[in-house]
Amino acid sequence: MTLEQLRIFVAVAECEHVTHAAQKLNLTQSAVSAAVSALESRHTVKLFSRVGRGIELTDAGRLFLDEARAILARTRAAEVALAELSGLERGTLAIHASQTIASYWLPLHIVRFRKVHPGVKIELAAGNSTQVAEAVQHGAADIGFVEGRIEAENLMQQAIARDRLIIVADPKHLASKRRISASDLPNLDWVLREPGSGTRSEFEEALKRWKLSIGQLNVVLELPSNEAVRMAVEAGAGATAISELVAARGIALGKLKAIPLQLPERAFTVLRHRERYLSKAARAFLDEIKGKSAH
């Protein structure tokens, strides 16, 4: 059994799809399948069951997943300990972030940090807020960034920047032609992020202020990324609530129009595990953000 096999097994378990895991790991599908098959044949155990086009963990697979994650977390901790001996001259910083933050807010900070600490390699992975929290909990990420807060007692959470959701639509859409109130929202078509995303959760909370729920809206599309949502809305599929950062370019180009219905600000929150050591690289990266964040 190798660490690479464990890494592949965990990725397949989390994606519940061999092809998606291969894309996440930048490996071929055959290499991923071979690694899983090697584990199963070597130990005479079935780790996955095929269900339609996807796969799901067997009982044995679920038990093994906890052990595999623990081993990878300990390996990562050992790597951090060795890297600490060389200060910030080298090492790796694993960051997981929600899609809005990873695509529109973090890159500038990563570039600034790398200019000061070129020997530190940053591994950035994007997912929804639930996935980011799980990565920090399981030790796959040193730190995580999400919108809002996460319900998890083993995670330390600190607001580190501010953002605002706005409601936008294609300029030709009904919502863009007149001033609307909250009571008009159920009459619109909506394109939203998937359940579990920070953007979706924050919008659901905002709706409560107007005594509304997602169930009262006509949700015509649920999509897994900000870019997919933005493009669908630009094509006229309906309205959406997304970050100002995501919508800015579309608004500037006239492809989107903001609907004058204000949503509350939300925090960008950094997550770290309460019981795990925070590396010098992670501390230095957070110092860079706190010192130079424009939000």
Side-chain angles (χ1 to χ4, degrees):
M1 185 185 299
T2 67
L3 291 174
E4 181 69 2
Q5 287 175 331
L6 294 182
R7 188 170 71 96
I8 290 172
F9 165 73
V10 170
V12 174
E14 291 175 345
C15 294
E16 295 185 330
H17 200 286
V18 173
T19 301
H20 295 167
Q23 292 171 345
K24 179 180 179 180
L25 296 170
N26 292 318
L27 296 173
T28 64
Q29 183 175 337
S30 60
V32 171
S33 297
V36 173
S37 296
L39 279 174
E40 291 180 326
S41 60
R42 172 69 178 80
H43 300 280
T44 322
V45 64
K46 197 72 173 174
L47 299 173
F48 296 99
S49 295
R50 188 166 295 279
V51 179
R53 294 184 178 181
I55 56 175
E56 62 182 29
L57 288 166
T58 61
D59 289 340
R62 280 189 285 273
L63 290 172
F64 184 55
L65 179 59
D66 290 337
E67 297 298 329
R69 281 172 167 164
I71 291 169
L72 292 175
R74 288 299 304 153
T75 301
R76 169 138 198 83
E79 291 175 339
V80 169
L82 285 177
E84 296 289 88
L85 298 177
S86 63
L88 289 174
E89 295 179 7
R90 62 183 177 83
T92 301
L93 175 59
I95 301 173
H96 285 225
S98 64
Q99 292 186 17
T100 301
I101 295 173
S103 299
Y104 295 91
W105 184 76
L106 267 183
L108 176 61
H109 294 290
I110 291 175
V111 170
R112 287 174 171 169
F113 179 81
R114 288 275 298 151
K115 287 180 178 178
V116 180
H117 306 291
V120 178
K121 177 184 177 183
I122 292 184
E123 297 178 347
L124 176 63
N128 64 37
S129 294
T130 300
Q131 293 166 337
V132 172
E134 290 176 350
V136 177
Q137 289 173 317
H138 298 144
D142 297 310
I143 51 178
F145 294 89
V146 298
E147 298 99 354
R149 293 188 63 81
I150 294 291
E151 295 297 325
E153 294 184 359
N154 59 353
L155 296 181
M156 296 178 66
Q157 306 183 46
Q158 179 184 5
I160 204 163
R162 307 296 298 178
D163 180 44
R164 185 184 294 276
L165 288 182
I166 59 175
I167 298 176
V168 295
D170 169 65
K172 298 178 182 178
H173 193 270
L174 172 65
S176 302
K177 294 181 179 179
R178 60 186 177 86
R179 187 173 185 85
I180 67 169
S181 65
S183 61
D184 295 312
L185 299 184
N187 300 322
L188 305 177
D189 292 337
W190 288 89
V191 180
L192 298 178
R193 282 288 306 277
E194 80 287 0
S197 76
T199 296
R200 171 73 171 253
S201 298
E202 292 294 323
F203 184 48
E204 289 177 350
E205 285 300 311
L207 288 173
K208 292 178 183 178
R209 299 170 60 223
W210 300 311
K211 295 182 172 56
L212 292 172
S213 68
I214 289 290
Q216 294 173 269
L217 303 186
N218 183 32
V219 181
V220 296
L221 285 173
E222 289 185 345
L223 299 172
S225 73
N226 291 317
E227 292 306 304
V229 168
R230 180 181 58 78
M231 292 178 68
V233 172
E234 289 178 0
T240 193
I242 55 176
S243 165
E244 285 182 318
L245 296 173
V246 179
R249 181 172 174 79
I251 292 174
L253 294 175
K255 296 180 178 180
L256 294 174
K257 184 174 181 179
I259 296 172
L261 190 62
Q262 191 172 57
L263 298 176
E265 279 194 340
R266 61 179 180 173
F268 284 170
T269 303
V270 60
L271 309 177
R272 55 169 294 199
H273 200 287
R274 289 186 180 279
E275 299 176 0
R276 291 199 177 96
Y277 174 73
L278 189 65
S279 69
K280 289 181 181 178
R283 289 196 298 270
F285 185 74
L286 293 178
D287 287 343
E288 189 285 325
I289 290 177
K290 292 173 185 177
K292 298 180 180 177
S293 176
H295 292 260

